[in-house]
């Protein structure tokens, strides 16, 4: 993210989304694959709400440790503020400014859930920032109409019925841990409608509750991304994401070696060992690590790629980087697995290949000339603007507040 650092007393609340159009229908819950509706109207619906967004406790906003959640939070601030809502944020100390007041909370970070096992018990460090964030919520809840939780953690889910304010949980990853699955299922028994996800594939990873999870997709400030109608020479491919086993950097090296095309990789170096192993396995691959960039710099850097490679080994809940690349006019070559399979239109905005099919990805690279890069951008303008995201989320929050009033 490209914002300047905020102090605990920062109080700007003037985000501006400004991208064209927003989805018109309230209450959409995404019942068909790839069915995110196009944006249709810019008019805010319903009354102004006071919304508190709770960030992830794994790291401060701007650190990259929170992965796509950090950008999602920023998009929600921009989109919901543009619809006339008053938005504030609670986040770990050291977070960057995101266009709304950020209440910075001290404490020990939570371990990222993707690094613990399915049967792992819930763990909490001494003086946890997660606990402190939710203490803050409890103390200040009367000032808000609704809390929007982005943390993939057991504690806020468990605490929800103990609070007076309705809490909406936007679940950022697929099913990873039994204790979390059970907590979500229990929550939906007492608070129907209190959880949403980014894609249908993500919902399907929670079989017991899949049909009760609302699908809201995701969105970005499209106007902050420049379209590159042609790829740069010499031709190269791109990878954007955390360098970690679940993101499949080894398959990126394999594709680089087989195609002979250089690959530039941007993202947080979370697991250096998995990078080194991939490099050793594919010594002919020209893959260069380009560091972790703020959003404005990232979009400028990736626009010249001939394509973005997405070869994740897990069910990617959404894959923000797919819509970021497409916003720059960059087609996406992705495994037909998880969120990217619902974002990429095969043959139009990139190519979908069978999961783990490296040969399929190599073939797709040879077909990139068939893609009109402007189509990639248009798809994002229509479905994945901050306005479109905010309208879907706003409809969800409105429904939840109404339901909660009846509990
Ligand atoms: N990102 C970034 N700078 C970089 C590389 C990645 O800010 O140099 C961000 C990117 O914008 C995206 C996030 O990292 O929002 C990755 O999110 P994604 O949903 O693709 O995957 P996650 O990390 O959540 O699994």
């Amino acid at each position: 993210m490209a914002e300047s650092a905020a102090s605990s007393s920062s109080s700007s609340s003037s985000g501006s989304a400004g991208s064209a159009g927003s989805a018109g229908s309230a209450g959409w819950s995404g019942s068909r694959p790839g069915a995110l509706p196009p944006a249709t109207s810019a008019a805010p619906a319903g009354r102004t709400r006071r919304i508190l967004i709770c960030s992830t406790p794994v790291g401060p906003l701007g650190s990259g440790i929170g992965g796509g959640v950090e950008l999602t939070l920023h998009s929600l601030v921009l989109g919901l503020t543009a619809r006339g809502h008053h938005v504030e944020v609670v986040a770990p100390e050291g977070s960057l400014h995101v266009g709304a007041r950020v209440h910075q909370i001290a404490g020990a970070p939570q371990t990222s859930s993707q690094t613990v096992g399915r049967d792992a018990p819930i763990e909490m460090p001494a003086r946890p920032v997660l606990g402190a964030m939710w203490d803050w919520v409890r103390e200040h809840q009367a000032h808000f109409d609704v809390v929007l939780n982005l943390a993939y953690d057991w504690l806020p889910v468990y605490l929800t019925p103990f609070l007076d304010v309705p809490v909406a949980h936007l679940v950022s990853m697929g099913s990873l841990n039994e204790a979390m699955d059970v907590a979500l299922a229990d929550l939906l028994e007492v608070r129907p409608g209190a959880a949403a996800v980014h894609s249908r594939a993500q919902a399907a990873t929670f079989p017991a509750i899949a049909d009760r999870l609302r699908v809201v997709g995701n969105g970005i400030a499209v106007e902050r991304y420049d379209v590159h109608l042609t790829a740069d020479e010499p031709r190269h491919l791109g990878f954007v994401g955390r360098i970690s086993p679940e993101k499949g950097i080894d398959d990126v090296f394999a594709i680089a070696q087989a195609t002979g095309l250089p690959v530039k990789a941007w993202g947080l170096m979370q697991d250096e060992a998995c990078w080194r192993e991939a490099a050793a396995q594919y010594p002919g691959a020209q893959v260069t690590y380009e560091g972790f960039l703020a959003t404005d710099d990232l979009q400028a850097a990736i626009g010249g790629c001939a394509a973005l490679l997405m070869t994740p080994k897990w069910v990617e809940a959404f894959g923000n980087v797919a819509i970021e690349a497409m916003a720059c006019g960059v087609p996406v070559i992705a495994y037909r697995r998880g969120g990217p399979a619902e974002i990429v239109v095969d043959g139009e905005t990139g190519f979908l290949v069978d999961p783990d099919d490296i040969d399929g990805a190599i073939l797709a690279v040879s077909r990139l000339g068939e893609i009109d890069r402007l189509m990639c951008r248009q798809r994002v303008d229509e479905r994945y603007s901050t306005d479109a995201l905010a309208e879907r989320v706003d409809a969800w929050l409105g429904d939840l507040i109404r339901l909660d009033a009846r509990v």
Side-chain angles (χ1 to χ4, degrees):
M1 293 194 199
E3 290 70 28
S4 54
S7 71
S8 57
S9 60
S10 68
S11 61
S12 162
S13 60
S14 62
S16 74
S19 57
S22 60
S25 62
W28 180 80
S29 62
S31 56
R32 286 178 294 115
L36 277 187
T40 54
S41 100
R47 68 179 194 83
T48 300
R49 294 188 233 285
R50 294 161 301 160
I51 302 169
L52 178 64
I53 303 182
C54 280
S55 187
T56 169
V58 296
L61 289 167
S63 67
I65 302 168
V69 172
E70 299 183 23
L71 189 68
T72 302
L73 183 144
H74 196 192
S75 297
L76 286 165
V77 169
L78 294 175
L80 292 168
T81 304
R83 290 177 66 78
H85 299 306
H86 175 81
V87 180
E88 296 184 27
V89 174
V90 176
E93 199 169 50
S95 285
L96 298 188
H97 182 61
V98 288
R101 184 170 188 180
V102 180
H103 301 282
Q104 311 251 351
I105 309 292
Q110 206 69 14
T111 304
S112 297
S113 299
Q114 69 269 27
T115 64
V116 303
R118 170 152 290 281
D119 300 324
I122 300 304
E123 281 188 11
M124 201 67 76
R127 296 179 198 83
V129 71
L130 179 62
M133 286 166 69
W134 286 83
D135 280 343
W136 196 98
V137 172
R138 179 176 46 78
E139 283 164 26
H140 298 87
Q141 59 181 318
H143 300 291
F144 298 95
D145 299 308
V146 64
V147 175
L148 177 51
N149 171 45
L150 303 189
Y152 189 104
D153 285 283
W154 180 89
L155 185 70
V157 176
Y158 177 77
L159 287 179
T160 297
F162 294 90
L163 294 165
D164 298 324
V165 67
V167 183
H169 299 270
L170 180 47
V171 182
S172 61
M173 293 181 281
S175 167
L176 293 170
N177 174 265
E178 186 65 17
M180 183 68 179
D181 288 9
V182 172
L184 282 170
D186 288 350
L187 171 75
L188 291 176
E189 289 298 318
V190 291
R191 293 289 185 277
V197 291
H198 294 291
S199 68
R200 291 183 44 72
Q202 181 194 359
T205 67
F206 300 96
I209 53 169
D211 56 353
R212 286 180 281 158
L213 292 167
R214 192 152 173 150
V215 182
V216 296
N218 218 332
I220 53 172
V222 192
E223 67 282 359
R224 287 175 61 174
Y225 294 75
D226 299 321
V227 193
H228 294 237
L229 291 179
T230 51
D232 287 350
E233 292 292 342
R235 256 160 61 91
H236 61 273
L237 304 170
F239 167 88
V240 184
R242 292 175 289 106
I243 311 299
S244 59
E246 68 270 18
K247 294 290 182 177
I249 192 73
D250 46 345
D251 289 6
V252 171
F253 273 81
I255 295 164
Q257 177 160 299
T259 59
L261 286 176
V263 178
K264 295 184 179 180
W266 294 271
L268 193 73
M269 183 62 79
Q270 267 188 337
D271 187 336
E272 268 194 75
C274 89
W275 176 279
R276 277 198 303 271
E277 277 162 29
Q281 200 182 345
Y282 301 100
Q286 286 181 64
V287 186
T288 51
Y289 177 60
E290 307 282 330
F292 178 81
L293 303 184
T295 301
D296 288 347
D297 298 328
L298 181 67
Q299 69 84 26
I302 61 178
C305 295
L308 182 82
L309 298 174
M310 291 189 78
T311 54
K313 302 293 164 86
W314 70 346
V315 175
E316 194 76 64
F318 186 77
N320 280 349
V321 299
I323 57 175
E324 294 187 85
M326 284 162 55
C328 298
V330 177
V332 177
I333 296 173
Y335 289 154
R336 195 180 282 104
R337 168 194 277 153
E342 294 169 34
I343 299 168
V344 176
V345 182
D346 190 33
E348 276 184 34
T349 61
F351 294 100
L352 293 171
V353 303
D354 286 342
D356 310 316
D357 180 7
I358 291 169
D359 289 340
I362 294 164
L363 184 67
V365 170
S366 70
R367 294 181 55 197
L368 283 170
E370 297 170 29
I371 304 294
D372 174 358
R373 291 170 70 104
L374 196 55
M375 284 282 281
C376 300
R377 168 60 175 235
Q378 281 169 357
R379 188 81 183 168
V380 182
D381 280 332
E382 285 167 11
R383 284 160 205 253
Y384 305 113
S385 66
T386 49
D387 286 356
L389 168 67
E391 181 151 8
R392 295 188 290 263
V393 170
D394 205 3
W396 169 41
L397 299 181
D399 287 351
L400 183 65
I401 290 168
R402 278 188 291 279
L403 266 175
D404 199 83
R406 283 185 245 134
V407 172

